[in-house]
């Protein structure tokens, strides 16, 4: 809310006006009332049309949000693009124009989940106070995260679907490469943060590959049977930490 002064029969009169930001729709897209001064009958309204790029970004985000809910809840094979389009409030064509096909949309959803999980690990590393504290934090994270039914089984379903489709297989390999690259960065950040010495890119890649393979296999087992121990994953963590110390 702001206060202005304007002339009223030669006298200065203070008036209070509320500045609003309102989104409305027209036949072509979204419009924004950027500076809507209340009451509308007394003040002008500046209207600016949202750009095509902004509209597309909103469409993509809403489709992706709907897809994430569907895929994680119902799985890959049980989810259709028609269902996602209906949930998001768009046509099936809008889904295709933004994500090409179901497998690619699922990949984007999985990448988003993986990035969130790795960001959690990076945060644990940044907040840790020594090796013991880091090990404790990672043990709790693994216990809470590895074996989450939604995204673990979704990745498994997509992987199985790649058996008859080389393009899907290449898509998954690219996704895994990106995840390992991020994990390499986290491993190197951990070594630097804890002051445990430098670690080469080659060493970090080997450790990241070991951790990725172990946690994926462990995740599938725990998704089926949550009582499966996380000890194999923690053994890999201890190996990584021992490598840090040995590199010092």
């Amino acid at each position: 809310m702001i206060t202005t002064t304007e002339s009223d029969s030669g006298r200065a009169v203070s008036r209070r006006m509320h500045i609003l930001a309102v989104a409305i729709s027209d036949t072509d897209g979204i419009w924004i009332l950027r500076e809507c001064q209340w009451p509308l009958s007394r003040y002008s309204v500046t209207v600016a049309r949202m750009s095509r790029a902004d509209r597309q970004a909103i469409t993509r985000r809403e489709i992706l949000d709907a897809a994430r809910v569907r895929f994680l809840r119902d799985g890959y094979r049980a989810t259709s693009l028609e269902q996602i389009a209906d949930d998001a409030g768009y046509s099936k064509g809008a889904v295709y124009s933004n994500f090409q096909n179901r497998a690619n949309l699922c990949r984007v959803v999985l990448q988003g989940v993986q990035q969130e999980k790795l960001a959690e690990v990076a945060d644990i590393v940044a907040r840790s106070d020594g090796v013991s504290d880091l090990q404790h934090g990672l043990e709790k994270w693994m216990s809470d995260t590895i074996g989450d039914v939604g995204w673990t089984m979704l990745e498994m379903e997509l992987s199985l679907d790649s058996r008859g489709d080389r393009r899907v297989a290449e898509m998954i390999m690219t996704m895994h490469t990106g995840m390992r690259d991020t994990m390499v960065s986290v491993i190197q950040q951990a070594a630097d943060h804890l002051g445990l010495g430098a670690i080469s890119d080659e060493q970090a890649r080997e450790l990241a590959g070991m951790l990725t393979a172990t946690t994926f296999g462990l995740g599938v087992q725990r998704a089926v049977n949550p009582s499966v121990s996380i000890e194999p994953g923690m053994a890999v963590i201890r190996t990584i930490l021992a490598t840090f110390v040995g590199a010092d």
Side-chain angles (χ1 to χ4, degrees):
M1 183 171 62
I2 63 173
T3 301
T4 64
T5 301
E6 58 182 53
S7 178
D8 185 358
S9 301
R11 293 179 300 153
V13 179
S14 294
R15 302 187 185 279
R16 294 181 180 273
M17 300 182 297
H18 293 273
I19 305 302
L20 309 177
V22 183
I24 59 175
S25 297
D26 73 340
T27 56
D28 296 321
I30 298 174
W31 297 70
I32 300 297
L33 302 185
R34 284 184 177 166
E35 295 181 352
C36 174
Q37 300 176 338
W38 188 263
L40 295 179
S41 60
R42 295 184 57 82
Y43 302 100
S44 62
V45 177
T46 301
V47 181
R49 184 179 180 183
M50 182 176 287
S51 70
R52 180 181 181 85
D54 288 340
R55 294 201 307 273
Q56 185 172 12
I58 291 174
T59 299
R60 185 179 176 86
R61 179 72 260 169
E62 291 179 343
I63 291 173
L64 190 56
D65 288 344
R68 176 167 176 148
V69 171
R70 276 279 181 178
F71 279 137
L72 294 181
R73 185 188 67 201
D74 301 337
Y76 180 68
R77 293 182 178 177
T79 298
S80 69
L81 293 184
E82 289 88 348
Q83 291 171 324
I84 293 171
D86 287 344
D87 291 347
Y90 292 96
S91 67
K92 185 178 177 181
V95 179
Y96 273 115
S97 66
N98 280 278
F99 295 99
Q100 291 80 56
N101 53 54
R102 185 176 59 151
N104 187 55
L105 178 53
C106 183
R107 174 191 63 81
V108 176
V109 168
L110 281 171
Q111 281 184 321
V113 174
Q114 290 170 352
Q115 288 168 0
E116 289 174 7
K117 300 305 179 183
L118 290 173
E120 291 172 0
V121 173
D123 184 59
I124 291 171
V125 170
R127 291 186 292 105
S128 63
D129 182 21
V131 174
S132 178
D133 187 44
L134 175 58
Q135 186 171 316
H136 176 74
L138 291 176
E139 183 173 3
K140 184 179 186 307
W141 178 86
M142 291 187 73
S143 179
D144 293 342
T145 304
I146 301 302
D148 178 276
V149 174
W151 68 278
T152 300
M153 299 310 289
L154 178 60
E155 185 170 353
M156 188 67 178
E157 280 190 272
L158 184 62
S159 298
L160 289 173
D161 200 59
S162 70
R163 182 176 181 179
D165 192 327
R166 184 62 187 172
R167 289 175 299 178
V168 175
E170 291 174 350
M171 184 187 303
I172 293 172
M173 287 188 288
T174 299
M175 180 176 66
H176 287 170
T177 298
M179 183 173 65
R180 280 195 302 271
D181 288 345
T182 302
M183 198 172 293
V184 165
S185 178
V186 171
I187 289 172
Q188 292 176 324
Q189 288 172 14
D192 181 65
H193 174 72
L194 297 173
L196 296 176
I199 182 170
S200 69
D201 289 346
E202 183 178 356
Q203 284 179 306
R205 280 194 294 270
E206 289 177 358
L207 293 172
M210 185 191 309
L211 187 57
T212 300
T214 303
T215 54
F216 180 74
L218 187 59
V220 172
Q221 293 180 62
R222 283 174 58 82
V224 175
N225 179 9
S227 67
V228 171
S229 172
I230 62 169
E231 177 53 31
M234 287 309 303
V236 174
I237 296 295
R238 288 192 289 271
T239 298
I240 292 175
L241 294 176
T243 300
F244 289 166
V245 175
D248 195 0

